[in-house]
Amino acid sequence: MTFMTEQVWRWLSGIRTKIVLLSGLLLLLPFIGYNYVWELENVLRQGQEQTLMGSARAFSMALNQQPELFERQKKTKPRLEDGKDLYAMALDSPIDIDGSILDWERYKSHRTNYADSHVIFSRTPYQSNELNFDLIMASDGDDLYVLIDIIDKSPVLRRENTARIDRNDHLVVTLTTPKGELKRYGITARKSGKADIYLIENTIEDTEHNFLSEAIQGWWQETAQGYVVELAIPDWLVGEKLSFAYYDVTNPYSRDVETILATSNPRNAETLGTLLVPSPEIERVLKRMNDGSSRVWVVDQHGRVLAKTGDLQSSNGVWETTIKYQEEPSGIMGWIQNKILNPFYYRLLERPPEKIIDAMHNAAVFRGVEVQQALIGRPYANWRLTPDESTTILSAAYPVKVGSDVVGAVVVEETTKGIKTLRNKALEQLFNVLLAVICTGVVVLLLFGSHISRRVRKLRDDAESAVDSQGRVLHQLEPATSKDEIGDLSRTLSTMVTRLSDYNAYLEKMSSSLSHELRTPVAVVRSSLENLAFVTKEDDQARYIERAQEGVTRLATILSSMTEATRLEQSFEHAERTEFLLDEVISGCVQGYEYAYPKQGFTLHIKGSNYQMSGVPEYVAQLLDKLVANAVEFRQENTDIEIYMLIHDNLARITVSNIGPKLPENMGNQLLGSMVSVREEKHKSDKPHLGLGLYVARLVAEFHQGRLSLANRADGKGVNVTVWLPLS
C-alpha cells in the first residue's frame, strides 16, 4: 500500500501532471470569450434600441405629414370616463352574427361590465346580481361589431301581434352619424333569433314613427342567465358618439320598465359617450412602410390603439439572412455538433423560444411607460419581458403631432430573439474553436511534457545505473547532443561521471601501486634489522630491534591485505565457472570453522534442497570465510555464530548472524566499501584492520551476480550479514 501511495504521489508530482494542470489555464479562454460575447450582445442591444427609435421617428414623421388622419383625435376629451367612452378593438378574424359567443372568446379580456354606477333609472332598489351586462366592441374597418351579454333574472320578451316595442325587455342604441345627426334604434325580439330593429323617429312609445330598419343587423339569443345580443353596425352609420341602454321589464303583466342600465345617458348628443374605432387609413399607411421586421402601433392621447401592423413572431430585430450566416455541419461533424456539443452548450446558453407568448397581442389600450413619455412629447424606449420571461421585447415610442399638439404616439416593437440567436451562433462557433484549441493545446503540452519527462527519466536511470551503491562507476554516461537545458545537464553529468570514474580508478589502483612501491623498502628494512640483530649483543638494542621487526611485520601484513583484493579482482578475469552444490560448500566450510575456532560455537540451518549453482566454489568459501571472521571478531563471548540458508525466488539466501554490538547509525552498507572500518576500543587489537574483509565478500557476491547487505538483527542484539546468490 505504501509503495502504491508513493507511486501515485510520484506520478502526481511529475512534470506531465504539472503541465496538464498548467494547461488548465486554457480554460480561461472560454470564460473570456463568453464574457466578450455577452458584452457584444449588450452593444447589439444598444444598437437595436437606436435603430428602433429611428424607425419610430420615421413612422411618426410619415404620420405627421397627414394630419387629416387625426381629425377625430384633435377633438378627443382630455379625460375619458370609464365605461362611458367606448372603444372598438381591431378584429383579427370575422364575426358571425348568430348569437354564439365562441367568436368572441379571444376578446374576453376586453369586456367591460356595467352595473351599479351605470344605472340611469330604477323603480326598486337595484341588485347587480339580478341585472348587469358585459359589452365587447370590435371593428373590421367596415362594420362595428357589438356583443352584449346580459344577466337578467326575470326576462320578458315581446308579445306576438303587438306594435309596441317598449313593453318588454329591449335595447336602445343611440348614436350620432358622421354628419352629426342623432339617431336611435330600438332592438327587441319575440324569441331567440334574428332581432327586430326599429328606427325611432320620435319616441319609442310612438309606434307610428317607429320603422323597421335594415341598416343594423342583430341577433337576440336567450340564455340560462338572460340574453346575448349581437349587432353589426355599418361604419358609415356611426359617428363620434354612441350609447347602449338596456331597458329591463320584470312584470309580464304590467310590463312597465323597472330599470334602465346604460353605457351613457341617451337623452341627447351631449350626454352620449364618445366612440373610438381603429383607423383603416392609418393602418394602410403603416402597412406600406412596415416590412414585417417590426410590430407597429399607433395610439391616441389615451393609449387606445388606432392601428397595428406586424407580428412579434417575425419581429426579431435582425435580418433573416444574417441569422443563418453559416450552414449547419453535416455527416459525423453534424452528429457531434447536434448530439453532443449543442446539448452541452445549451446547459449554459439560453435558447430563444420557438413561439413568443405576448400578453399585448390583442391589447386595446397600450399603457406602457414609453407611451406615457411619448404622449407628453418625449421619445422613449423600454425593455419588457414576456409573461413566461423567455423573451425580451424592446418598445420605442415617438410622439405624433398635428401642429404643436401631441395627438398620439407611434410604438415600434421588436424582440431580442434575433440577437440571442446571433449570440448563440457566435458562442457555438467560439466554443467549437476554443474546444479544438484547448484539446490540441492539452495534447501538445502533454506530449511535450511526456517528451521532457522521458528525457529526464532516461537521464535519471542512466545516472543511477552508472554508479553502484558503493560509488563505483559501472559505465560512462552518453552525453546528449541536444542544445537545451536537459542536454546541458546530460553533458555535465557525463563529465562528472567521467571524473568520478577516473578518481575511483586512481583509488582502486592506489593500494596495488602503494603495495608494490613499499615492498622493496620494507624488505630492505627487514633485512637490515635482521643483520643488525646478528651483530648487536646488548639487551637494550636487541629490545628496540625486536620492536622494529614487529612493526615491519605488521607493515608487511598490511601490504598483503591491500594486495589481496587486487589479486582477487584480477583472478575474476581468468576464473572458470563450474556447477556445484552450494549447501555442500557451506557445510564443509562450517566444519572447518569448528577446527579453526575451537572455542567458538557454530549453528547451521539449511532449509530446502537443490542448491545447484554456477560459479567458483573457492570464491564462495572465501566469501563465507570473511563473513565468519568478521562475526567471530564482533561476537559476544559465550554466544554462537548462526548461519541460515534458504531458497527465495530462485536465490540462495545465506545469513551469518552474531550477537554483539549493533551497526553504527547511517553507516549500513557503507562498510562494504574498500578500507572502511568502524570499531570500538574494546574490539581493537594489534592486528591491523583495513576494512577489506567485507569489501572482498562483496566483490565475490557481485562476481556471482549476487548482492550483500548488512542490517541489525530484529531483536536488536546483534548484526545480520546476508548474501543473495542466484541458483541455476
Side-chain angles (χ1 to χ4, degrees):
M1 185 64 183
T2 304
F3 175 76
M4 290 295 296
T5 304
E6 291 178 352
Q7 290 295 319
V8 171
W9 178 250
R10 184 176 180 181
W11 183 85
L12 291 176
S13 60
I15 294 177
R16 286 179 297 179
T17 304
K18 292 177 180 177
I19 288 181
V20 170
L21 292 177
L22 288 175
S23 65
L25 294 175
L26 293 174
L27 296 177
L28 291 175
L29 293 177
F31 176 76
I32 296 172
Y34 184 78
N35 287 333
Y36 174 76
V37 173
W38 273 100
E39 289 298 326
L40 184 61
E41 180 188 0
N42 291 333
V43 173
L44 291 176
R45 290 179 64 167
Q46 293 175 6
Q48 183 183 14
E49 183 176 324
Q50 295 297 323
T51 302
L52 202 63
M53 185 60 73
S55 298
R57 182 176 182 274
F59 281 106
S60 175
M61 293 299 102
L63 294 175
N64 289 342
Q65 296 174 5
Q66 304 180 61
E68 67 277 4
L69 298 177
F70 296 91
E71 287 298 326
R72 275 195 185 184
Q73 280 65 48
K74 290 192 293 184
K75 302 176 183 179
T76 301
K77 297 187 298 184
R79 183 184 179 90
L80 298 179
E81 298 181 50
D82 188 28
K84 179 178 180 180
D85 296 298
L86 305 177
Y87 171 77
M89 74 194 71
L91 277 178
D92 291 335
S93 57
I95 297 291
D96 294 327
I97 306 300
D98 55 4
S100 173
I101 64 173
L102 296 178
D103 296 339
W104 299 88
E105 285 295 324
R106 69 178 64 186
Y107 307 109
K108 275 187 175 182
S109 59
H110 302 292
R111 65 173 60 192
T112 303
N113 182 258
Y114 293 85
D116 305 68
S117 59
H118 295 87
V119 175
I120 296 178
F121 168 80
S122 182
R123 293 180 184 274
T124 58
Y126 171 75
Q127 300 291 331
S128 61
N129 61 330
E130 297 289 333
L131 178 66
N132 65 82
F133 68 82
D134 290 331
L135 174 67
I136 305 176
M137 301 176 62
S139 172
D140 63 358
D142 295 324
D143 294 291
L144 177 66
Y145 293 90
V146 182
L147 174 70
I148 305 175
D149 188 359
I150 303 171
I151 303 298
D152 189 348
K153 298 299 184 181
S154 55
V156 177
L157 290 174
R158 185 182 179 189
R159 290 179 296 188
E160 296 288 342
N161 303 320
T162 178
R164 295 288 295 270
I165 62 174
D166 61 330
R167 307 295 288 173
N168 45 260
D169 295 333
H170 61 279
L171 183 71
V172 175
V173 179
T174 307
L175 54 83
T176 59
T177 65
K179 295 181 179 181
E181 299 178 19
L182 180 68
K183 289 191 176 184
R184 289 189 178 89
Y185 291 89
I187 302 171
T188 64
R190 295 181 173 86
K191 60 180 180 178
S192 295
K194 188 175 181 181
D196 299 325
I197 300 176
Y198 292 85
L199 173 62
I200 303 173
E201 290 284 356
N202 189 8
T203 63
I204 196 169
E205 295 87 359
D206 187 0
T207 58
E208 294 183 0
H209 295 86
N210 296 339
F211 306 100
L212 285 172
S213 174
E214 298 291 335
I216 299 177
Q217 299 181 35
W219 191 280
W220 192 292
Q221 182 69 40
E222 285 189 276
T223 65
Q225 301 295 325
Y227 311 108
V228 168
V229 179
E230 264 188 308
L231 302 175
I233 306 173
D235 186 63
W236 56 263
L237 181 61
V238 184
E240 298 178 3
K241 300 292 187 70
L242 179 64
S243 170
F244 297 95
Y246 178 69
Y247 292 75
D248 178 41
V249 175
T250 59
N251 192 326
Y253 301 104
S254 63
R255 290 183 177 266
D256 293 327
V257 174
E258 291 290 332
T259 305
I260 302 176
L261 190 63
T263 60
S264 59
N265 197 322
R267 182 173 51 190
N268 52 53
E270 286 72 22
T271 60
L272 297 180
T274 61
L275 170 67
L276 178 69
V277 296
S279 171
E281 293 82 6
I282 296 178
E283 186 172 342
R284 281 193 288 271
V285 173
L286 298 182
K287 286 183 177 180
R288 284 198 302 267
M289 296 182 62
N290 190 16
D291 59 359
S293 61
S294 305
R295 184 170 70 178
V296 186
W297 309 70
V298 176
V299 299
D300 71 350
Q301 300 174 47
H302 302 287
R304 295 179 295 182
V305 178
L306 297 176
K308 183 184 74 170
T309 182
D311 192 314
L312 279 183
Q313 197 66 34
S314 58
S315 304
N316 50 50
V318 181
W319 294 336
E320 191 69 21
T321 53
T322 62
I323 294 178
K324 300 178 180 178
Y325 59 95
Q326 186 179 19
E327 294 183 359
E328 293 289 340
S330 58
I332 185 65
M333 293 305 298
W335 184 88
I336 293 175
Q337 181 73 40
N338 295 323
K339 299 298 183 180
I340 299 177
L341 297 180
N342 283 351
F344 173 72
Y345 292 161
Y346 283 97
R347 290 179 178 271
L348 305 174
L349 304 179
E350 178 185 356
R351 190 186 296 272
E354 295 295 330
K355 186 173 180 61
I356 297 175
I357 301 174
D358 181 24
M360 294 285 293
H361 179 66
N362 291 317
V365 180
F366 206 119
R367 302 186 185 277
V369 63
E370 61 272 30
V371 172
Q372 297 174 14
Q373 293 293 319
L375 291 176
I376 62 176
R378 186 180 303 163
Y380 196 84
N382 183 45
W383 298 86
R384 73 173 190 274
L385 290 172
T386 55
D388 59 355
E389 299 185 354
S390 63
T391 307
T392 303
I393 299 174
L394 171 61
S395 302
Y398 207 91
V400 177
K401 296 182 179 180
V402 174
S404 60
D405 299 327
V406 177
V407 296
V410 175
V411 183
V412 183
E413 291 184 313
E414 290 178 355
T415 68
T416 58
K417 179 181 178 181
I419 290 179
K420 287 184 177 180
T421 303
L422 288 175
R423 179 202 66 196
N424 290 350
K425 290 289 185 182
L427 285 174
E428 285 179 22
Q429 291 191 14
L430 178 64
F431 286 162
N432 288 343
V433 173
L434 290 180
L435 184 62
V437 170
I438 290 173
C439 292
T440 303
V442 170
V443 171
V444 170
L445 287 175
L446 184 59
L447 293 176
F448 177 71
S450 299
H451 176 65
I452 296 295
S453 178
R454 180 181 59 80
R455 292 177 63 193
V456 172
R457 286 199 309 273
K458 182 178 183 300
L459 184 57
R460 178 204 63 193
D461 295 341
D462 290 345
E464 285 183 350
S465 63
V467 181
D468 64 7
S469 58
Q470 283 73 40
R472 299 176 62 189
V473 177
L474 302 179
H475 63 82
Q476 295 295 326
L477 283 180
E478 185 70 25
T481 58
S482 59
K483 302 301 182 182
D484 57 6
E485 289 79 359
I486 297 179
D488 292 341
L489 178 61
S490 173
R491 289 186 288 274
T492 300
L493 289 177
S494 177
T495 303
M496 184 178 65
V497 170
T498 300
R499 293 172 181 173
L500 181 61
S501 176
D502 295 341
Y503 183 67
N504 284 343
Y506 165 74
L507 292 178
E508 291 173 357
K509 293 178 181 178
M510 184 179 67
S511 61
S512 177
S513 300
L514 189 61
S515 175
H516 176 73
E517 294 296 332
L518 291 179
R519 282 188 183 279
T520 300
V522 168
V524 172
V525 172
R526 174 179 289 178
S527 62
S528 299
L529 289 175
E530 289 176 353
N531 292 332
L532 184 61
F534 285 118
V535 298
T536 301
K537 301 299 183 180
E538 296 180 3
D539 293 339
D540 291 337
Q541 291 181 351
R543 184 170 61 253
Y544 291 131
I545 292 172
E546 182 181 358
R547 291 180 62 184
Q549 287 178 340
E550 290 177 357
V552 172
T553 301
R554 187 172 182 179
L555 184 58
T557 303
I558 293 174
L559 294 176
S560 298
S561 299
M562 290 174 62
T563 57
E564 181 182 5
T566 303
R567 290 198 305 270
L568 183 63
E569 287 185 278
Q570 293 173 352
S571 66
F572 287 162
E573 299 177 0
H574 307 286
E576 294 183 1
R577 293 176 177 268
T578 60
E579 294 290 331
F580 64 95
L581 292 175
L582 179 61
D583 52 342
E584 293 181 358
V585 174
I586 300 300
S587 299
C589 290
V590 173
Q591 292 176 6
Y593 301 147
E594 293 175 352
Y595 293 101
Y597 305 97
K599 296 182 180 181
Q600 176 62 46
F602 294 92
T603 305
L604 177 62
H605 306 277
I606 299 179
K607 295 183 179 180
S609 59
N610 192 19
Y611 282 89
Q612 185 79 19
M613 71 171 290
S614 175
V616 181
E618 292 78 8
Y619 290 167
V620 175
Q622 189 175 3
L623 179 152
L624 191 60
D625 291 346
K626 299 297 183 182
L627 300 185
V628 170
N630 192 71
V632 170
E633 186 174 356
F634 285 93
R635 81 192 188 290
Q636 184 177 328
E637 292 184 1
N638 302 321
T639 59
D640 289 348
I641 304 298
E642 295 181 313
I643 302 172
Y644 299 89
M645 284 190 64
L646 57 87
I647 298 175
H648 180 72
D649 291 339
N650 203 35
L651 293 174
R653 191 177 75 181
I654 307 169
T655 302
V656 178
S657 178
N658 69 283
I659 297 177
K662 296 189 294 183
L663 292 172
E665 293 184 5
N666 301 323
M667 287 299 291
N669 291 334
Q670 294 183 21
L671 295 174
L672 301 178
S674 176
M675 302 182 73
V676 179
S677 178
V678 179
R679 296 172 184 269
E680 298 178 357
E681 289 293 331
K682 62 181 180 179
H683 290 100
K684 291 185 177 180
S685 65
D686 293 337
K687 184 179 179 181
H689 299 281
L690 301 180
L692 293 173
L694 294 177
Y695 174 67
V696 170
R698 179 175 66 82
L699 293 179
V700 174
E702 292 177 352
F703 171 75
H704 290 89
Q705 286 80 46
R707 65 182 187 275
L708 183 68
S709 68
L710 300 174
N712 290 320
R713 287 170 48 132
D715 56 8
K717 296 181 179 180
V719 177
N720 289 335
V721 183
T722 305
V723 183
W724 283 270
L725 296 175
L727 299 175
S728 298

